[in-house]
Amino acid sequence: MSTATVESINTEILALQNRIKELKVSKQDASAEVNSMKALKEQLKTLTKDQEANGGGSGSNFTLKTPKGTIDHKPEAALLRKKIFSTLEGIFLKHDASTIDTPVFELKEILAGKYGEDSKLIYDLSDQGGELCSLRYDLTVPFARYVAMNGITSMKRYHIGKVYRRDQPVMTKGRMREFYQCDIDIAGTCDPMVYDSEILKILCEALTALDIGQYTVKLNHRKILDGIFQLAGVPADKTRSISSAVDKLDKLPWADVKKEMTVEKGLDEQVADKIGQYVGLKGPGMEVLEKLKLDGDLMAIPLAKQGISDMEILFRYLKVYKVLDKMSFDMSLARGLDYYTGIIYEAIHESSAPPSKSVNPPVPANASASSSKPVKTSKNAIINEDGIDESTVGVGSIAAGGRYDNLVGMFAESAGKKMNEQVPCVGVSVGVERVYSIMESRRKATQEKVRGKETEVFVLGLGGVELEKRMEVATLLWDNGIKTSFSPKVNPKPPAQWKQADDDSIPYVLILAPKEYAEGKVRVKAQLGKDQVGAEDNKGEEVPLDNVVAYLKEKLGRS
Amino acid sequence: MSTATVESINTEILALQNRIKELKVSKQDASAEVNSMKALKEQLKTLTKDQEANGGGSGSNFTLKTPKGTIDHKPEAALLRKKIFSTLEGIFLKHDASTIDTPVFELKEILAGKYGEDSKLIYDLSDQGGELCSLRYDLTVPFARYVAMNGITSMKRYHIGKVYRRDQPVMTKGRMREFYQCDIDIAGTCDPMVYDSEILKILCEALTALDIGQYTVKLNHRKILDGIFQLAGVPADKTRSISSAVDKLDKLPWADVKKEMTVEKGLDEQVADKIGQYVGLKGPGMEVLEKLKLDGDLMAIPLAKQGISDMEILFRYLKVYKVLDKMSFDMSLARGLDYYTGIIYEAIHESSAPPSKSVNPPVPANASASSSKPVKTSKNAIINEDGIDESTVGVGSIAAGGRYDNLVGMFAESAGKKMNEQVPCVGVSVGVERVYSIMESRRKATQEKVRGKETEVFVLGLGGVELEKRMEVATLLWDNGIKTSFSPKVNPKPPAQWKQADDDSIPYVLILAPKEYAEGKVRVKAQLGKDQVGAEDNKGEEVPLDNVVAYLKEKLGRS
């Protein structure tokens, strides 16, 4: 019985039970069926035992939930996300971009070695005898693979899709294991900073259009950072690890970062101090630029000079784009990922910082098990399944990106493809879930009513108008693009029908009453809230059936 | 050096090489940098060796491809799919549905035991120390889980998302391992066949709107099938396996199916013959219904009588919905999945049947290795990596579904939830990739030009108008919602700019020429094809810059 399953056997048992009942009611012999049912129940017992032996089957008890770090999106949530995607997509299309889609999993070797320390957060697919695959960690590496694979030299592409990271989730702040990213990247050569400035223009247009409140874009340049490290005397083989320490300055005080550099990563204290003289520098682009240009030592380092020159061009373009005021030129921005080669940026929202004044990272609840002081949890604490108080965690950055000139070439090389030139790229990734988190809080504050559906007209039947008449009228409306519903009962009572229209907040009710319908007329009533002016007198309008489509389209604001 | 990766080391080497070059050019000592670079190259060698020992890293040679059975969607393809989704979504919304989204993977036990024999096609995630998960196989089981999990008793939901099956792919016919499904399901009680008929109405509206040509919806009812089996004398424990044999009648002749029933599945020949008397029956709903109603033996089986009565009600509603003519009442339709309990249906397109006249399944190329006759491959053969000739495979059904009353209740039970009543469901799943396949062939036939982007205006600079002026004008257009691009060069030559506008099929070019621009004027030229009337005389129109937005909006058909 290899094709039988618990579900199918249960269905057969149910069918047999019905049959036995019918036979008995009509006083026929049901013994053959009773025996068949006994045989099936035995079969079920064996199958369930087997499945439990193999670690659970549909017969055993388990919790109905989504996997850790993932959620279902209920209708209102799904609609809000759709609005976010649609806003972003509109802006990307304005800027000459096309979209692509890539598979949710890639060959393991495509993702391997691209994410540094974060590689441990990659989800692998099980080895089931075929190619080894992993779920995509971002949309950038798949893009670079796509560009190299198709020999593309120039492309503006956007991609809205889910990515997967086996991180510690902080669900209330939009940090999940499965989450959407909205990326736009431009591949191809351009004159200095032209594409870089357009990406920043797009980012600002997007964050403004999403109406999430105040935001800042922190900017820096890898060459300036690398130049500072050179000036300070950081050994070349420590550049990345020192970069990674600098990147923590948005969460840790300088003292802690310096300690990490010297104690953990073996940097000379003088070198660390020299770095410290620069990484505290941040402010409006032109101001910080002027300070750097006056620094003779730094300007003598060719890398740094290049970076500073790039920034000067960039700010000129950002001024034309009217977004310079959103920028903060911030020497402490280093960014975790290794593949950036030029400008880097991160957008933060007023809510990004953790609510508590302390700049220390949140203390896990299990810390109280050790000899350190017990953690006081406030009454607003939200302790998650890992013991972290989510109320102490900030939303984090809401978008980030930079220039990455070597990634495509590296793919092409690994594949043994001869590439005449690099395909330089620059892009930004909008963290949709973080944006969603922010919009949700703002929405709750305004107590805006949100519908999960868009239904416009409810067809209600009074006293004896058959279901088929309601279906006919609904078909007329559907044929004319009007979103319509009606009760699924043959002969529903009016109160239940009014309730359905109210529960779904359907704005118009089209009433079919026997006498009026026989005369070719219907009544259309606009659903006003109980407390609205005129609600009591609202009897609706009588409309000829022949004209009801035009009537409704006008009410709905359509031609 | 746990934070170093091949990519980051390569980037550092590149930076060092630049630095060494600069130092040597300015005649400075570069020996420290040269030593650092040697150290990094050693580090690279070791790291690459480690990665290769662990089965490949970014340093080793591999093929740039997507995993077997998956594809990237290039811009034109992505846009066509978007059009399909958007058409379907519009119809679902017209019918009072809301959308949800669920995670791409579920807990393993949620999917276990739901798909019968097809369970072997499920992709598992690797055991990485947490919950065991699998990629979703369809959107129906996640929906049932969602309904049970949230205690929902009534819901109309649609869901457009990717699902995963480790099947043998036939890429040219839209059979892939990762593919989109568009599902609409209605959960909740209704009077007989009300929701069932609405789902079929939605299906027909959708297939008509997608404009794919002729299609038929095959219908049947599980209770009628089970009734026939009872009448014929099929033992209850063989119901499902005989069902599965009957389901093959769309691909195999009756002789082969009968052989499977009797020889492989141990059915008495008489019983098989009795089944054979019914399963050949197919035709317009009312006709077949009348035949069945006249069959006293069958009508005496209560299950069959219920099913026939359901169909009678259904056809009445389908007539009101004006879709009865699309239906074929087909006794040979059995459907593979076990969870169907009532009406079942499958939509087929004129292209569904395999092109060859033979009703035998395609012969794999490796069959020639055995003693049977060698397979002749035609000159139109498309042999895929599994050796199957894809040109002999039909597209298969383009949509399918049915009523499944026990699935939600079964989830609730497994979770130990008390449910007062079942939540019956009925739904349909549209096979987007199959539809896409068909639309693509039709499109190729008409040689319709397809753009991958929507850009409307190209800002072109003549003789010395700086980049910043082009950026300024572009910003004006972007601020007014006009999709605009321009060359990324500071001082591009006109031919290269015209080429960019042409390559991207951008309909309007806005020309900035120094003299005109100084006078506050620009020129707008509509891009006509070279062969179009008036192309040679097309010099465009001079427009004041102050008015160019209104001018363009009018040309683009917007207010």
Side-chain angles (χ1 to χ4, degrees):
Chain A
M1 282 304 106
S2 56
T3 53
T5 62
V6 172
E7 162 60 17
S8 68
I9 294 175
N10 274 327
T11 307
E12 290 173 38
I13 288 174
L14 210 72
L16 265 173
Q17 282 169 334
N18 284 334
R19 201 186 309 172
I20 289 167
K21 196 167 89 175
E22 306 268 4
L23 287 168
K24 293 196 165 173
V25 156
S26 55
K27 295 185 176 7
Q28 295 180 60
D29 175 28
S31 43
E33 283 76 8
V34 169
N35 286 336
S36 287
M37 192 166 76
K38 284 183 180 165
L40 279 174
K41 286 190 166 175
E42 275 308 302
Q43 209 184 338
L44 183 65
K45 230 190 266 179
T46 320
L47 194 61
T48 316
K49 255 201 222 116
D50 283 345
Q51 284 180 346
E52 277 171 4
N54 292 333
S58 55
S60 49
N61 247 25
F62 56 83
T63 319
L64 276 186
K65 66 191 250 337
T66 52
K68 174 174 174 175
T70 71
I71 50 167
D72 294 320
H73 299 169
K74 296 187 183 184
E76 298 75 8
L79 254 148
L80 181 53
R81 262 181 196 77
K82 228 175 55 149
K83 233 176 96 176
I84 294 172
F85 297 156
S86 167
T87 300
L88 291 173
E89 186 169 42
I91 291 166
F92 297 158
L93 285 167
K94 262 201 312 179
H95 287 264
D96 192 43
S98 322
T99 190
I100 65 169
D101 194 13
T102 66
V104 110
F105 49 82
E106 298 270 348
L107 295 177
K108 208 173 152 79
E109 59 256 34
I110 297 277
L111 303 185
K114 305 295 181 304
Y115 303 103
E117 271 193 336
D118 287 347
S119 295
K120 64 184 185 292
L121 302 180
I122 295 176
Y123 276 98
D124 292 324
L125 293 195
S126 174
D127 183 351
Q128 288 169 287
E131 300 160 324
L132 291 181
C133 298
S134 304
L135 297 184
R136 66 189 181 200
Y137 185 87
D138 64 9
L139 301 176
T140 309
V141 166
F143 176 54
R145 192 254 317 134
Y146 175 88
V147 169
M149 190 168 137
N150 292 285
I152 291 168
T153 52
S154 173
M155 181 179 196
K156 270 179 169 144
R157 89 91 182 75
Y158 72 92
H159 188 180
I160 298 173
K162 289 183 183 178
V163 300
Y164 299 86
R165 304 183 182 183
R166 288 183 68 246
D167 216 341
Q168 285 316 317
V170 183
M171 304 305 283
T172 55
K173 295 289 156 71
R175 289 194 206 173
M176 304 189 289
R177 289 186 159 186
E178 172 191 66
F179 57 98
Y180 273 102
Q181 279 194 327
C182 292
D183 284 28
I184 180 163
D185 293 69
I186 308 176
T189 52
C190 63
D191 278 343
M193 309 318 274
V194 178
Y195 285 156
D196 311 56
S197 55
E198 188 169 1
I199 290 286
L200 286 166
K201 168 67 173 168
I202 291 170
L203 174 60
C204 292
E205 272 187 73
L207 296 181
T208 300
L210 290 172
D211 194 31
I212 46 167
Q214 290 294 331
Y215 64 89
T216 304
V217 181
K218 302 197 292 189
L219 291 176
N220 201 354
H221 198 303
R222 282 244 74 124
K223 288 182 179 173
I224 299 177
L225 258 179
D226 287 347
I228 288 169
F229 289 171
Q230 232 192 286
L231 181 64
V234 177
D237 59 355
K238 287 203 196 307
T239 310
R240 286 297 162 260
S241 65
I242 298 303
S243 245
S244 147
V246 168
D247 196 42
K248 295 180 185 171
L249 280 169
D250 59 347
K251 294 187 188 70
L252 301 176
W254 168 246
D256 290 4
V257 171
K258 175 175 167 177
K259 190 169 166 200
E260 183 178 320
M261 286 183 188
T262 50
V263 175
E264 279 181 48
K265 300 182 169 178
L267 203 64
D268 269 359
E269 197 173 336
Q270 287 164 292
V271 177
D273 283 337
K274 188 72 177 167
I275 293 173
Q277 286 173 23
Y278 285 95
V279 294
L281 200 57
K282 79 174 127 193
M286 298 302 202
E287 268 182 42
V288 174
L289 192 66
E290 286 312 305
K291 283 199 183 117
L292 294 175
K293 280 167 77 176
L294 292 172
D295 183 330
D297 291 337
L298 189 61
M299 289 295 277
I301 311 280
L303 262 182
K305 189 174 181 198
Q306 271 176 38
I308 290 164
S309 156
D310 275 354
M311 295 307 273
E312 188 160 27
I313 299 170
L314 180 74
F315 292 143
R316 215 169 70 225
Y317 296 159
L318 293 180
K319 193 164 186 212
V320 176
Y321 281 147
K322 300 184 286 185
V323 298
L324 187 53
D325 58 317
K326 297 280 189 227
M327 307 291 145
S328 168
F329 191 178
D330 188 336
M331 287 295 112
S332 73
L333 177 67
R335 300 288 301 135
L337 292 166
D338 294 333
Y339 51 62
Y340 292 117
T341 55
I343 187 184
I344 49 181
Y345 32 81
E346 207 173 280
I348 54 175
H349 183 253
E350 45 194 4
S351 73
S352 286
S356 83
K357 285 224 174 297
S358 157
V359 290
N360 288 318
V363 183
N366 60 15
S368 56
S370 70
S371 58
S372 55
K373 282 185 286 201
V375 176
K376 281 202 205 117
T377 42
S378 77
K379 61 173 162 61
N380 292 325
I382 307 165
I383 310 296
N384 69 18
E385 58 186 280
D386 299 312
I388 308 280
D389 179 1
E390 297 199 353
S391 70
T392 64
V393 178
V395 158
S397 69
I398 50 177
R403 173 166 284 287
Y404 53 102
D405 286 347
N406 302 330
L407 195 57
V408 174
M410 200 198 63
F411 267 117
E413 213 179 286
S414 317
K417 273 189 180 212
K418 273 243 166 292
M419 285 194 78
N420 296 329
E421 42 186 82
Q422 288 281 20
V423 180
C425 298
V426 62
V428 70
S429 181
V430 179
V432 177
E433 306 303 338
R434 313 282 173 88
V435 167
Y436 174 83
S437 244
I438 293 165
M439 288 174 90
E440 256 263 302
S441 329
R442 283 162 75 92
R443 185 195 269 194
K444 279 193 182 135
T446 65
Q447 291 181 314
E448 196 188 309
K449 168 121 179 86
V450 184
R451 287 183 79 193
K453 48 177 69 172
E454 300 185 11
T455 314
E456 299 164 319
V457 178
F458 181 82
V459 178
L460 189 145
L462 292 178
V465 174
E466 319 95 76
L467 170 64
E468 273 143 89
K469 289 282 180 291
R470 286 183 280 129
M471 284 179 167
E472 228 175 273
V473 173
T475 300
L476 173 66
L477 301 186
W478 288 330
D479 283 350
N480 284 280
I482 297 172
K483 305 179 180 84
T484 307
S485 68
F486 53 89
S487 160
K489 297 265 172 227
V490 170
N491 213 353
K493 303 238 187 315
Q497 294 187 75
W498 285 109
K499 184 177 191 301
Q500 188 180 335
D502 284 340
D503 286 348
D504 287 347
S505 305
I506 301 175
Y508 292 94
V509 176
L510 190 160
I511 305 161
L512 304 179
K515 189 161 158 297
E516 287 173 337
Y517 192 72
E519 293 167 11
K521 296 184 224 146
V522 302
R523 180 168 295 271
V524 179
K525 186 164 177 276
Q527 291 286 75
L528 302 172
K530 288 196 188 68
D531 48 327
Q532 279 189 266
V533 173
E536 282 181 19
D537 300 325
N538 180 21
K539 304 257 174 282
E541 252 187 272
E542 200 180 76
V543 182
L545 184 58
D546 286 344
N547 196 38
V548 77
V549 169
Y551 177 87
L552 284 166
K553 281 186 166 178
E554 204 218 310
K555 291 288 179 191
L556 294 166
R558 296 218 283 277
S559 56
Chain B
M1 282 304 106
S2 57
T3 54
T5 62
V6 171
E7 161 61 13
S8 67
I9 294 174
N10 273 328
T11 308
E12 290 173 39
I13 289 175
L14 209 71
L16 266 174
Q17 282 169 334
N18 285 334
R19 202 186 306 171
I20 290 166
K21 196 167 91 174
E22 305 269 3
L23 288 169
K24 292 195 165 172
V25 154
S26 53
K27 295 186 175 10
Q28 297 181 58
D29 175 28
S31 43
E33 283 78 8
V34 169
N35 285 336
S36 288
M37 192 167 75
K38 284 185 182 162
L40 280 174
K41 287 189 167 173
E42 273 310 303
Q43 207 183 338
L44 184 66
K45 230 191 269 179
T46 319
L47 194 61
T48 317
K49 253 200 225 117
D50 283 345
Q51 285 181 346
E52 276 170 6
N54 291 333
S58 55
S60 51
N61 247 25
F62 56 84
T63 320
L64 277 185
K65 67 191 250 336
T66 52
K68 175 174 175 174
T70 70
I71 50 167
D72 294 319
H73 299 170
K74 298 188 182 181
E76 297 77 7
L79 254 148
L80 181 53
R81 262 180 196 76
K82 229 177 50 150
K83 232 175 97 179
I84 294 171
F85 297 156
S86 161
T87 299
L88 292 173
E89 186 169 43
I91 292 166
F92 297 157
L93 285 166
K94 262 200 313 176
H95 286 264
D96 192 43
S98 324
T99 190
I100 65 169
D101 193 14
T102 66
V104 109
F105 50 81
E106 298 270 347
L107 295 178
K108 209 174 150 79
E109 59 256 35
I110 298 277
L111 303 185
K114 306 293 182 306
Y115 302 102
E117 271 194 335
D118 286 347
S119 295
K120 64 183 188 289
L121 302 180
I122 295 175
Y123 275 97
D124 292 324
L125 292 195
S126 175
D127 183 351
Q128 288 170 287
E131 300 159 324
L132 293 182
C133 299
S134 304
L135 296 184
R136 65 189 181 200
Y137 185 87
D138 64 8
L139 301 175
T140 309
V141 166
F143 175 54
R145 191 255 316 136
Y146 174 88
V147 170
M149 191 168 137
N150 292 285
I152 291 168
T153 53
S154 173
M155 181 179 195
K156 270 180 167 143
R157 90 89 184 76
Y158 71 92
H159 189 179
I160 298 174
K162 290 185 182 176
V163 300
Y164 299 85
R165 305 183 181 182
R166 290 183 66 248
D167 216 342
Q168 285 315 316
V170 184
M171 305 302 286
T172 56
K173 295 291 157 70
R175 290 193 205 173
M176 304 191 287
R177 288 185 160 187
E178 173 192 66
F179 57 98
Y180 274 102
Q181 280 194 327
C182 292
D183 284 28
I184 179 163
D185 293 68
I186 308 177
T189 51
C190 62
D191 278 344
M193 309 318 274
V194 179
Y195 286 155
D196 311 56
S197 54
E198 188 170 0
I199 290 287
L200 286 167
K201 168 66 174 167
I202 292 169
L203 174 60
C204 292
E205 273 188 73
L207 296 181
T208 300
L210 290 172
D211 194 32
I212 46 166
Q214 289 294 330
Y215 65 89
T216 304
V217 181
K218 304 196 291 188
L219 291 175
N220 202 354
H221 199 303
R222 280 244 75 122
K223 288 183 179 172
I224 299 177
L225 258 179
D226 287 347
I228 288 168
F229 289 170
Q230 230 188 289
L231 182 64
V234 177
D237 58 355
K238 287 202 197 305
T239 311
R240 286 297 160 259
S241 65
I242 298 303
S243 247
S244 147
V246 167
D247 196 43
K248 296 180 187 174
L249 279 170
D250 59 346
K251 295 186 189 65
L252 301 176
W254 169 245
D256 290 3
V257 170
K258 176 175 167 178
K259 192 168 164 199
E260 182 176 322
M261 286 184 186
T262 50
V263 174
E264 278 181 49
K265 299 181 170 177
L267 204 63
D268 269 357
E269 196 172 338
Q270 285 165 294
V271 176
D273 283 336
K274 188 72 178 167
I275 294 173
Q277 286 172 20
Y278 284 96
V279 294
L281 199 57
K282 79 174 125 194
M286 299 302 202
E287 269 183 42
V288 175
L289 193 66
E290 286 312 305
K291 284 201 182 111
L292 293 174
K293 281 167 77 178
L294 292 172
D295 183 330
D297 290 339
L298 189 61
M299 289 295 277
I301 312 279
L303 261 183
K305 189 175 182 196
Q306 269 175 42
I308 289 164
S309 156
D310 275 355
M311 294 307 272
E312 189 159 25
I313 300 170
L314 178 74
F315 292 143
R316 214 171 68 226
Y317 296 158
L318 293 181
K319 192 163 188 213
V320 176
Y321 282 146
K322 302 183 287 183
V323 297
L324 187 53
D325 58 318
K326 296 280 188 230
M327 308 290 145
S328 167
F329 192 176
D330 188 336
M331 288 293 113
S332 74
L333 177 68
R335 299 289 300 136
L337 291 167
D338 294 334
Y339 50 63
Y340 291 118
T341 55
I343 186 183
I344 49 180
Y345 32 81
E346 208 173 281
I348 54 175
H349 184 253
E350 46 192 5
S351 73
S352 285
S356 84
K357 282 221 175 302
S358 158
V359 290
N360 287 319
V363 183
N366 60 13
S368 57
S370 71
S371 58
S372 53
K373 283 185 285 199
V375 178
K376 281 201 206 120
T377 42
S378 76
K379 60 175 159 65
N380 291 327
I382 308 165
I383 311 294
N384 69 17
E385 60 187 280
D386 299 313
I388 309 281
D389 179 1
E390 296 198 356
S391 70
T392 63
V393 178
V395 159
S397 70
I398 49 177
R403 173 165 284 286
Y404 52 103
D405 287 346
N406 303 328
L407 195 58
V408 174
M410 201 197 64
F411 267 117
E413 213 180 286
S414 316
K417 273 191 180 209
K418 273 241 167 289
M419 284 193 76
N420 296 328
E421 43 185 82
Q422 288 279 20
V423 180
C425 299
V426 63
V428 71
S429 181
V430 179
V432 177
E433 306 303 339
R434 313 281 173 89
V435 167
Y436 175 83
S437 242
I438 293 165
M439 288 173 90
E440 257 265 302
S441 329
R442 283 164 75 91
R443 186 193 269 191
K444 281 192 182 134
T446 64
Q447 291 182 314
E448 195 187 311
K449 170 121 180 81
V450 184
R451 288 183 79 193
K453 49 176 71 172
E454 300 185 11
T455 314
E456 299 164 319
V457 178
F458 181 82
V459 178
L460 188 145
L462 293 179
V465 174
E466 317 95 79
L467 169 65
E468 274 144 271
K469 289 283 180 294
R470 286 184 280 129
M471 285 177 166
E472 227 175 273
V473 173
T475 301
L476 173 66
L477 302 187
W478 288 329
D479 284 351
N480 285 280
I482 297 172
K483 306 179 179 89
T484 308
S485 69
F486 52 90
S487 161
K489 297 266 173 228
V490 170
N491 212 355
K493 304 237 186 316
Q497 295 185 74
W498 285 109
K499 184 177 191 304
Q500 188 180 335
D502 285 340
D503 286 350
D504 287 347
S505 305
I506 301 175
Y508 292 93
V509 176
L510 190 160
I511 305 163
L512 304 178
K515 189 161 159 295
E516 283 172 338
Y517 193 71
E519 292 166 12
K521 294 184 227 144
V522 301
R523 180 168 295 273
V524 178
K525 186 165 178 276
Q527 291 286 76
L528 303 170
K530 289 196 189 67
D531 47 326
Q532 278 188 269
V533 172
E536 282 181 18
D537 300 325
N538 181 21
K539 304 256 174 282
E541 253 188 89
E542 199 179 77
V543 182
L545 185 58
D546 288 345
N547 197 38
V548 77
V549 168
Y551 177 87
L552 284 167
K553 281 186 166 179
E554 205 219 307
K555 291 287 179 193
L556 293 165
R558 299 219 280 278
S559 56

